[in-house]
mmCIF file of all heavy atoms in Angstrom:
data_model
loop_
_atom_site.group_PDB
_atom_site.id
_atom_site.type_symbol
_atom_site.label_atom_id
_atom_site.label_comp_id
_atom_site.label_asym_id
_atom_site.label_seq_id
_atom_site.Cartn_x
_atom_site.Cartn_y
_atom_site.Cartn_z
ATOM 1 N N SER A 1 21.693 0.137 -21.049
ATOM 2 C CA SER A 1 20.694 -0.574 -21.735
ATOM 3 C C SER A 1 20.031 0.417 -22.698
ATOM 4 O O SER A 1 20.311 1.580 -22.669
ATOM 5 C CB SER A 1 19.652 -1.193 -20.795
ATOM 6 O OG SER A 1 19.024 -0.112 -20.026
ATOM 7 N N ARG A 2 19.161 -0.116 -23.637
ATOM 8 C CA ARG A 2 18.516 0.727 -24.535
ATOM 9 C C ARG A 2 17.145 0.198 -24.836
ATOM 10 O O ARG A 2 16.861 -0.995 -24.840
ATOM 11 C CB ARG A 2 19.306 0.958 -25.832
ATOM 12 C CG ARG A 2 19.553 -0.285 -26.667
ATOM 13 C CD ARG A 2 20.595 -0.010 -27.732
ATOM 14 N NE ARG A 2 20.148 1.063 -28.647
ATOM 15 C CZ ARG A 2 20.959 1.759 -29.417
ATOM 16 N NH1 ARG A 2 22.265 1.544 -29.332
ATOM 17 N NH2 ARG A 2 20.458 2.759 -30.231
ATOM 18 N N ASP A 3 16.214 1.091 -25.204
ATOM 19 C CA ASP A 3 14.873 0.767 -25.692
ATOM 20 C C ASP A 3 14.800 1.450 -27.028
ATOM 21 O O ASP A 3 14.508 2.667 -27.133
ATOM 22 C CB ASP A 3 13.809 1.268 -24.709
ATOM 23 C CG ASP A 3 12.447 0.902 -25.078
ATOM 24 O OD1 ASP A 3 12.222 0.624 -26.295
ATOM 25 O OD2 ASP A 3 11.627 0.852 -24.219
ATOM 26 N N ASN A 4 14.974 0.712 -28.102
ATOM 27 C CA ASN A 4 14.979 1.298 -29.435
ATOM 28 C C ASN A 4 13.565 1.812 -29.838
ATOM 29 O O ASN A 4 13.467 2.769 -30.605
ATOM 30 C CB ASN A 4 15.503 0.326 -30.481
ATOM 31 C CG ASN A 4 17.019 0.122 -30.335
ATOM 32 O OD1 ASN A 4 17.723 0.938 -29.757
ATOM 33 N ND2 ASN A 4 17.478 -1.008 -30.837
ATOM 34 N N ALA A 5 12.591 1.262 -29.288
ATOM 35 C CA ALA A 5 11.213 1.762 -29.604
ATOM 36 C C ALA A 5 11.016 3.176 -29.047
ATOM 37 O O ALA A 5 10.301 3.974 -29.664
ATOM 38 C CB ALA A 5 10.135 0.806 -28.994
ATOM 39 N N LYS A 6 11.661 3.445 -27.896
ATOM 40 C CA LYS A 6 11.580 4.777 -27.287
ATOM 41 C C LYS A 6 12.796 5.619 -27.678
ATOM 42 O O LYS A 6 12.875 6.790 -27.177
ATOM 43 C CB LYS A 6 11.525 4.614 -25.748
ATOM 44 C CG LYS A 6 10.245 3.923 -25.333
ATOM 45 C CD LYS A 6 10.271 3.801 -23.757
ATOM 46 C CE LYS A 6 9.024 3.133 -23.268
ATOM 47 N NZ LYS A 6 8.971 3.071 -21.805
ATOM 48 N N ILE A 7 13.664 5.108 -28.476
ATOM 49 C CA ILE A 7 14.912 5.815 -28.891
ATOM 50 C C ILE A 7 15.624 6.406 -27.625
ATOM 51 O O ILE A 7 15.961 7.542 -27.594
ATOM 52 C CB ILE A 7 14.629 6.924 -29.950
ATOM 53 C CG1 ILE A 7 13.516 6.497 -30.849
ATOM 54 C CG2 ILE A 7 15.892 7.269 -30.733
ATOM 55 C CD1 ILE A 7 13.143 7.535 -31.856
ATOM 56 N N THR A 8 15.756 5.552 -26.685
ATOM 57 C CA THR A 8 16.350 5.941 -25.380
ATOM 58 C C THR A 8 17.392 5.013 -24.927
ATOM 59 O O THR A 8 17.203 3.747 -25.077
ATOM 60 C CB THR A 8 15.206 6.036 -24.355
ATOM 61 O OG1 THR A 8 14.213 7.001 -24.733
ATOM 62 C CG2 THR A 8 15.794 6.540 -22.984
ATOM 63 N N VAL A 9 18.426 5.512 -24.391
ATOM 64 C CA VAL A 9 19.521 4.739 -23.731
ATOM 65 C C VAL A 9 19.580 5.068 -22.293
ATOM 66 O O VAL A 9 19.422 6.296 -21.911
ATOM 67 C CB VAL A 9 20.920 5.057 -24.458
ATOM 68 C CG1 VAL A 9 21.971 4.275 -23.741
ATOM 69 C CG2 VAL A 9 20.788 4.588 -25.872
ATOM 70 N N TYR A 10 19.850 4.091 -21.458
ATOM 71 C CA TYR A 10 19.816 4.287 -20.012
ATOM 72 C C TYR A 10 21.218 3.952 -19.473
ATOM 73 O O TYR A 10 21.978 3.135 -20.034
ATOM 74 C CB TYR A 10 18.834 3.423 -19.358
ATOM 75 C CG TYR A 10 17.382 3.621 -19.910
ATOM 76 C CD1 TYR A 10 16.876 2.724 -20.867
ATOM 77 C CD2 TYR A 10 16.614 4.631 -19.388
ATOM 78 C CE1 TYR A 10 15.544 2.944 -21.303
ATOM 79 C CE2 TYR A 10 15.315 4.828 -19.889
ATOM 80 C CZ TYR A 10 14.802 3.977 -20.834
ATOM 81 O OH TYR A 10 13.539 4.162 -21.272
ATOM 82 N N LEU A 11 21.512 4.539 -18.318
ATOM 83 C CA LEU A 11 22.686 4.115 -17.559
ATOM 84 C C LEU A 11 22.218 4.046 -16.096
ATOM 85 O O LEU A 11 21.989 5.038 -15.450
ATOM 86 C CB LEU A 11 23.818 5.142 -17.703
ATOM 87 C CG LEU A 11 25.107 4.736 -17.068
ATOM 88 C CD1 LEU A 11 25.732 3.537 -17.790
ATOM 89 C CD2 LEU A 11 26.084 5.910 -17.015
ATOM 90 N N GLN A 12 22.060 2.803 -15.666
ATOM 91 C CA GLN A 12 21.773 2.560 -14.257
ATOM 92 C C GLN A 12 23.073 2.505 -13.485
ATOM 93 O O GLN A 12 23.984 1.754 -13.779
ATOM 94 C CB GLN A 12 21.054 1.219 -14.114
ATOM 95 C CG GLN A 12 20.700 0.845 -12.731
ATOM 96 C CD GLN A 12 19.693 1.728 -12.053
ATOM 97 O OE1 GLN A 12 18.695 2.147 -12.698
ATOM 98 N NE2 GLN A 12 19.954 2.130 -10.810
ATOM 99 N N MET A 13 23.155 3.393 -12.486
ATOM 100 C CA MET A 13 24.375 3.502 -11.703
ATOM 101 C C MET A 13 24.077 3.157 -10.266
ATOM 102 O O MET A 13 23.285 3.829 -9.565
ATOM 103 C CB MET A 13 24.888 4.922 -11.800
ATOM 104 C CG MET A 13 25.093 5.403 -13.248
ATOM 105 S SD MET A 13 25.868 7.055 -13.348
ATOM 106 C CE MET A 13 24.661 8.105 -12.542
ATOM 107 N N ASN A 14 24.676 2.093 -9.811
ATOM 108 C CA ASN A 14 24.508 1.626 -8.388
ATOM 109 C C ASN A 14 25.811 1.746 -7.650
ATOM 110 O O ASN A 14 26.883 1.867 -8.273
ATOM 111 C CB ASN A 14 24.033 0.163 -8.410
ATOM 112 C CG ASN A 14 22.675 -0.013 -9.076
ATOM 113 O OD1 ASN A 14 21.825 0.922 -9.040
ATOM 114 N ND2 ASN A 14 22.483 -1.164 -9.719
ATOM 115 N N SER A 15 25.721 1.651 -6.344
ATOM 116 C CA SER A 15 26.900 1.690 -5.501
ATOM 117 C C SER A 15 27.803 2.873 -5.901
ATOM 118 O O SER A 15 29.036 2.753 -6.014
ATOM 119 C CB SER A 15 27.709 0.423 -5.608
ATOM 120 O OG SER A 15 26.896 -0.720 -5.229
ATOM 121 N N LEU A 16 27.216 4.025 -6.002
ATOM 122 C CA LEU A 16 27.945 5.212 -6.448
ATOM 123 C C LEU A 16 28.979 5.598 -5.413
ATOM 124 O O LEU A 16 28.818 5.470 -4.193
ATOM 125 C CB LEU A 16 26.972 6.304 -6.723
ATOM 126 C CG LEU A 16 26.253 6.256 -8.045
ATOM 127 C CD1 LEU A 16 25.008 7.102 -8.007
ATOM 128 C CD2 LEU A 16 27.136 6.575 -9.216
ATOM 129 N N LYS A 17 30.104 6.140 -6.011
ATOM 130 C CA LYS A 17 31.222 6.587 -5.173
ATOM 131 C C LYS A 17 31.473 8.069 -5.441
ATOM 132 O O LYS A 17 31.140 8.569 -6.547
ATOM 133 C CB LYS A 17 32.470 5.808 -5.525
ATOM 134 C CG LYS A 17 32.322 4.262 -5.461
ATOM 135 C CD LYS A 17 33.597 3.597 -5.953
ATOM 136 C CE LYS A 17 33.471 2.066 -5.895
ATOM 137 N NZ LYS A 17 34.644 1.398 -6.474
ATOM 138 N N PRO A 18 32.105 8.718 -4.484
ATOM 139 C CA PRO A 18 32.440 10.174 -4.737
ATOM 140 C C PRO A 18 33.237 10.428 -6.035
ATOM 141 O O PRO A 18 33.065 11.371 -6.720
ATOM 142 C CB PRO A 18 33.251 10.568 -3.537
ATOM 143 C CG PRO A 18 32.729 9.677 -2.439
ATOM 144 C CD PRO A 18 32.448 8.391 -3.122
ATOM 145 N N GLU A 19 34.036 9.437 -6.399
ATOM 146 C CA GLU A 19 34.847 9.540 -7.644
ATOM 147 C C GLU A 19 34.010 9.366 -8.861
ATOM 148 O O GLU A 19 34.524 9.635 -9.980
ATOM 149 C CB GLU A 19 36.024 8.575 -7.642
ATOM 150 C CG GLU A 19 35.639 7.093 -7.384
ATOM 151 C CD GLU A 19 35.876 6.731 -5.872
ATOM 152 O OE1 GLU A 19 35.542 7.559 -4.939
ATOM 153 O OE2 GLU A 19 36.328 5.661 -5.648
ATOM 154 N N ASP A 20 32.766 9.061 -8.775
ATOM 155 C CA ASP A 20 31.862 8.995 -9.895
ATOM 156 C C ASP A 20 31.361 10.402 -10.237
ATOM 157 O O ASP A 20 30.602 10.562 -11.252
ATOM 158 C CB ASP A 20 30.657 8.045 -9.699
ATOM 159 C CG ASP A 20 31.120 6.571 -9.580
ATOM 160 O OD1 ASP A 20 32.008 6.191 -10.349
ATOM 161 O OD2 ASP A 20 30.627 5.907 -8.697
ATOM 162 N N THR A 21 31.566 11.339 -9.341
ATOM 163 C CA THR A 21 31.098 12.732 -9.586
ATOM 164 C C THR A 21 31.642 13.256 -10.902
ATOM 165 O O THR A 21 32.833 13.266 -11.171
ATOM 166 C CB THR A 21 31.488 13.626 -8.408
ATOM 167 O OG1 THR A 21 30.811 13.165 -7.209
ATOM 168 C CG2 THR A 21 31.124 15.079 -8.700
ATOM 169 N N ALA A 22 30.759 13.704 -11.759
ATOM 170 C CA ALA A 22 31.172 14.237 -13.089
ATOM 171 C C ALA A 22 29.924 14.653 -13.862
ATOM 172 O O ALA A 22 28.777 14.443 -13.409
ATOM 173 C CB ALA A 22 31.876 13.113 -13.885
ATOM 174 N N VAL A 23 30.184 15.333 -14.983
ATOM 175 C CA VAL A 23 29.093 15.571 -15.927
ATOM 176 C C VAL A 23 29.044 14.335 -16.859
ATOM 177 O O VAL A 23 30.128 14.000 -17.367
ATOM 178 C CB VAL A 23 29.362 16.858 -16.722
ATOM 179 C CG1 VAL A 23 28.258 17.022 -17.782
ATOM 180 C CG2 VAL A 23 29.399 18.111 -15.785
ATOM 181 N N TYR A 24 27.895 13.735 -17.030
ATOM 182 C CA TYR A 24 27.768 12.569 -17.808
ATOM 183 C C TYR A 24 27.175 12.948 -19.198
ATOM 184 O O TYR A 24 26.164 13.633 -19.228
ATOM 185 C CB TYR A 24 26.936 11.544 -17.123
ATOM 186 C CG TYR A 24 27.675 10.807 -16.014
ATOM 187 C CD1 TYR A 24 28.042 11.480 -14.864
ATOM 188 C CD2 TYR A 24 28.035 9.485 -16.174
ATOM 189 C CE1 TYR A 24 28.720 10.830 -13.840
ATOM 190 C CE2 TYR A 24 28.727 8.859 -15.186
ATOM 191 C CZ TYR A 24 29.114 9.542 -14.072
ATOM 192 O OH TYR A 24 29.776 8.890 -13.060
ATOM 193 N N TYR A 25 27.802 12.497 -20.225
ATOM 194 C CA TYR A 25 27.358 12.826 -21.619
ATOM 195 C C TYR A 25 26.966 11.534 -22.318
ATOM 196 O O TYR A 25 27.633 10.483 -22.279
ATOM 197 C CB TYR A 25 28.539 13.479 -22.371
ATOM 198 C CG TYR A 25 29.060 14.773 -21.823
ATOM 199 C CD1 TYR A 25 30.049 14.787 -20.903
ATOM 200 C CD2 TYR A 25 28.419 15.920 -22.243
ATOM 201 C CE1 TYR A 25 30.512 16.036 -20.367
ATOM 202 C CE2 TYR A 25 28.879 17.207 -21.765
ATOM 203 C CZ TYR A 25 29.922 17.155 -20.810
ATOM 204 O OH TYR A 25 30.343 18.421 -20.314
ATOM 205 N N CYS A 26 25.917 11.687 -23.096
ATOM 206 C CA CYS A 26 25.423 10.622 -23.977
ATOM 207 C C CYS A 26 26.011 10.952 -25.341
ATOM 208 O O CYS A 26 26.109 12.115 -25.749
ATOM 209 C CB CYS A 26 23.894 10.699 -23.966
ATOM 210 S SG CYS A 26 23.126 9.637 -25.196
ATOM 211 N N ALA A 27 26.317 9.947 -26.056
ATOM 212 C CA ALA A 27 26.932 10.057 -27.439
ATOM 213 C C ALA A 27 26.346 9.035 -28.344
ATOM 214 O O ALA A 27 26.006 7.882 -27.930
ATOM 215 C CB ALA A 27 28.447 9.920 -27.374
ATOM 216 N N ALA A 28 26.262 9.368 -29.633
ATOM 217 C CA ALA A 28 25.663 8.495 -30.717
ATOM 218 C C ALA A 28 26.618 8.425 -31.817
ATOM 219 O O ALA A 28 27.179 9.481 -32.236
ATOM 220 C CB ALA A 28 24.321 8.981 -31.048
ATOM 221 N N SER A 29 26.717 7.259 -32.388
ATOM 222 C CA SER A 29 27.559 7.077 -33.548
ATOM 223 C C SER A 29 26.596 6.950 -34.794
ATOM 224 O O SER A 29 25.474 6.521 -34.623
ATOM 225 C CB SER A 29 28.382 5.774 -33.408
ATOM 226 O OG SER A 29 28.935 5.403 -34.696
ATOM 227 N N ARG A 30 27.083 7.266 -35.960
ATOM 228 C CA ARG A 30 26.343 7.008 -37.190
ATOM 229 C C ARG A 30 26.182 5.533 -37.456
ATOM 230 O O ARG A 30 25.311 5.154 -38.246
ATOM 231 C CB ARG A 30 26.907 7.732 -38.340
ATOM 232 C CG ARG A 30 26.788 9.253 -38.267
ATOM 233 C CD ARG A 30 27.156 9.927 -39.614
ATOM 234 N NE ARG A 30 27.102 11.371 -39.554
ATOM 235 C CZ ARG A 30 28.186 12.077 -39.412
ATOM 236 N NH1 ARG A 30 29.365 11.556 -39.345
ATOM 237 N NH2 ARG A 30 28.020 13.430 -39.404
ATOM 238 N N SER A 31 27.101 4.741 -36.898
ATOM 239 C CA SER A 31 27.096 3.349 -37.204
ATOM 240 C C SER A 31 26.352 2.555 -36.117
ATOM 241 O O SER A 31 26.309 2.914 -34.964
ATOM 242 C CB SER A 31 28.614 2.837 -37.190
ATOM 243 O OG SER A 31 28.632 1.423 -37.237
ATOM 244 N N PRO A 32 25.678 1.451 -36.512
ATOM 245 C CA PRO A 32 25.068 0.603 -35.519
ATOM 246 C C PRO A 32 26.007 -0.286 -34.693
ATOM 247 O O PRO A 32 25.628 -0.806 -33.687
ATOM 248 C CB PRO A 32 24.147 -0.233 -36.362
ATOM 249 C CG PRO A 32 24.836 -0.372 -37.745
ATOM 250 C CD PRO A 32 25.491 1.004 -37.925
ATOM 251 N N LEU A 33 27.240 -0.295 -35.213
ATOM 252 C CA LEU A 33 28.250 -1.165 -34.609
ATOM 253 C C LEU A 33 29.221 -0.304 -33.758
ATOM 254 O O LEU A 33 29.418 0.877 -34.021
ATOM 255 C CB LEU A 33 29.006 -1.934 -35.675
ATOM 256 C CG LEU A 33 28.120 -2.796 -36.615
ATOM 257 C CD1 LEU A 33 29.004 -3.414 -37.673
ATOM 258 C CD2 LEU A 33 27.344 -3.853 -35.870
ATOM 259 N N LEU A 34 29.841 -0.945 -32.844
ATOM 260 C CA LEU A 34 30.931 -0.319 -32.083
ATOM 261 C C LEU A 34 32.314 -0.678 -32.678
ATOM 262 O O LEU A 34 32.517 -1.861 -33.080
ATOM 263 C CB LEU A 34 30.876 -0.836 -30.612
ATOM 264 C CG LEU A 34 29.640 -0.498 -29.809
ATOM 265 C CD1 LEU A 34 29.567 -1.214 -28.514
ATOM 266 C CD2 LEU A 34 29.516 0.979 -29.661
ATOM 267 N N GLY A 35 33.116 0.285 -32.787
ATOM 268 C CA GLY A 35 34.488 0.035 -33.140
ATOM 269 C C GLY A 35 35.293 -0.470 -31.935
ATOM 270 O O GLY A 35 35.393 0.325 -30.961
ATOM 271 N N GLY A 36 35.754 -1.601 -31.964
ATOM 272 C CA GLY A 36 36.447 -2.085 -30.762
ATOM 273 C C GLY A 36 35.468 -2.144 -29.591
ATOM 274 O O GLY A 36 34.411 -2.776 -29.672
ATOM 275 N N GLU A 37 35.854 -1.512 -28.486
ATOM 276 C CA GLU A 37 34.923 -1.489 -27.384
ATOM 277 C C GLU A 37 34.139 -0.165 -27.258
ATOM 278 O O GLU A 37 33.529 0.051 -26.246
ATOM 279 C CB GLU A 37 35.763 -1.730 -26.107
ATOM 280 C CG GLU A 37 36.392 -3.072 -26.070
ATOM 281 C CD GLU A 37 37.124 -3.421 -24.762
ATOM 282 O OE1 GLU A 37 37.209 -2.478 -23.887
ATOM 283 O OE2 GLU A 37 37.646 -4.491 -24.569
ATOM 284 N N GLY A 38 34.166 0.558 -28.270
ATOM 285 C CA GLY A 38 33.343 1.803 -28.351
ATOM 286 C C GLY A 38 33.835 2.850 -27.329
ATOM 287 O O GLY A 38 33.079 3.716 -26.879
ATOM 288 N N SER A 39 35.129 2.727 -26.845
ATOM 289 C CA SER A 39 35.661 3.562 -25.828
ATOM 290 C C SER A 39 36.288 4.913 -26.329
ATOM 291 O O SER A 39 36.630 5.752 -25.527
ATOM 292 C CB SER A 39 36.647 2.870 -24.991
ATOM 293 O OG SER A 39 37.711 2.401 -25.778
ATOM 294 N N ALA A 40 36.427 5.036 -27.639
ATOM 295 C CA ALA A 40 37.048 6.233 -28.185
ATOM 296 C C ALA A 40 36.023 7.290 -28.553
ATOM 297 O O ALA A 40 35.095 7.017 -29.291
ATOM 298 C CB ALA A 40 37.876 5.843 -29.440
ATOM 299 N N ALA A 41 36.192 8.489 -27.985
ATOM 300 C CA ALA A 41 35.205 9.519 -28.226
ATOM 301 C C ALA A 41 35.117 9.861 -29.677
ATOM 302 O O ALA A 41 34.008 10.227 -30.220
ATOM 303 C CB ALA A 41 35.681 10.824 -27.450
ATOM 304 N N LYS A 42 36.142 9.681 -30.457
ATOM 305 C CA LYS A 42 36.155 10.013 -31.911
ATOM 306 C C LYS A 42 35.234 9.141 -32.712
ATOM 307 O O LYS A 42 34.892 9.435 -33.875
ATOM 308 C CB LYS A 42 37.551 9.926 -32.507
ATOM 309 C CG LYS A 42 38.184 8.545 -32.439
ATOM 310 C CD LYS A 42 39.590 8.624 -33.035
ATOM 311 C CE LYS A 42 40.197 7.206 -32.991
ATOM 312 N NZ LYS A 42 41.586 7.223 -33.526
ATOM 313 N N GLU A 43 34.784 7.983 -32.101
ATOM 314 C CA GLU A 43 33.838 7.131 -32.793
ATOM 315 C C GLU A 43 32.443 7.661 -32.907
ATOM 316 O O GLU A 43 31.604 7.265 -33.650
ATOM 317 C CB GLU A 43 33.714 5.760 -32.052
ATOM 318 C CG GLU A 43 35.010 4.934 -32.042
ATOM 319 C CD GLU A 43 34.727 3.568 -31.421
ATOM 320 O OE1 GLU A 43 33.732 2.987 -31.760
ATOM 321 O OE2 GLU A 43 35.458 3.186 -30.576
ATOM 322 N N TYR A 44 32.208 8.678 -32.042
ATOM 323 C CA TYR A 44 30.848 9.173 -31.926
ATOM 324 C C TYR A 44 30.689 10.560 -32.601
ATOM 325 O O TYR A 44 31.529 11.367 -32.571
ATOM 326 C CB TYR A 44 30.476 9.387 -30.398
ATOM 327 C CG TYR A 44 30.529 7.989 -29.694
ATOM 328 C CD1 TYR A 44 31.715 7.537 -29.145
ATOM 329 C CD2 TYR A 44 29.410 7.182 -29.669
ATOM 330 C CE1 TYR A 44 31.746 6.330 -28.569
ATOM 331 C CE2 TYR A 44 29.469 5.982 -29.057
ATOM 332 C CZ TYR A 44 30.668 5.560 -28.484
ATOM 333 O OH TYR A 44 30.714 4.269 -27.929
ATOM 334 N N ASP A 45 29.504 10.615 -33.262
ATOM 335 C CA ASP A 45 29.245 11.846 -34.097
ATOM 336 C C ASP A 45 28.331 12.848 -33.475
ATOM 337 O O ASP A 45 28.353 14.021 -33.924
ATOM 338 C CB ASP A 45 28.603 11.355 -35.453
ATOM 339 C CG ASP A 45 29.474 10.311 -36.090
ATOM 340 O OD1 ASP A 45 30.547 10.695 -36.608
ATOM 341 O OD2 ASP A 45 29.148 9.090 -36.085
ATOM 342 N N TYR A 46 27.612 12.462 -32.430
ATOM 343 C CA TYR A 46 26.621 13.326 -31.812
ATOM 344 C C TYR A 46 26.752 13.272 -30.343
ATOM 345 O O TYR A 46 27.039 12.214 -29.745
ATOM 346 C CB TYR A 46 25.207 13.045 -32.243
ATOM 347 C CG TYR A 46 25.006 12.905 -33.758
ATOM 348 C CD1 TYR A 46 24.932 11.706 -34.322
ATOM 349 C CD2 TYR A 46 24.884 14.094 -34.478
ATOM 350 C CE1 TYR A 46 24.767 11.574 -35.699
ATOM 351 C CE2 TYR A 46 24.676 13.946 -35.906
ATOM 352 C CZ TYR A 46 24.679 12.729 -36.480
ATOM 353 O OH TYR A 46 24.495 12.639 -37.864
#
């Protein structure tokens, strides 16, 4: 989810599993739109 007034994006993670263990990275695109499903890292600039 996101709160544009606070310029913040959230990731609520429930029912966590050991396989969710990782370093989690936030990424931003210069575009307001997603290319496809937004799943390609190359879509993001920051």
Side-chain angles (χ1 to χ4, degrees):
S1 62
R2 65 189 299 159
D3 183 338
N4 288 339
K6 296 181 179 180
I7 322 178
T8 302
V9 175
Y10 304 97
L11 186 68
Q12 178 67 43
M13 305 186 296
N14 298 329
S15 302
L16 283 161
K17 305 175 181 179
E19 51 263 44
D20 294 318
T21 295
V23 177
Y24 283 70
Y25 297 91
C26 173
S29 169
R30 290 193 182 99
S31 171
L33 305 175
L34 296 170
E37 297 185 354
S39 60
K42 65 182 180 181
E43 293 185 48
Y44 299 89
D45 303 288
Y46 308 101

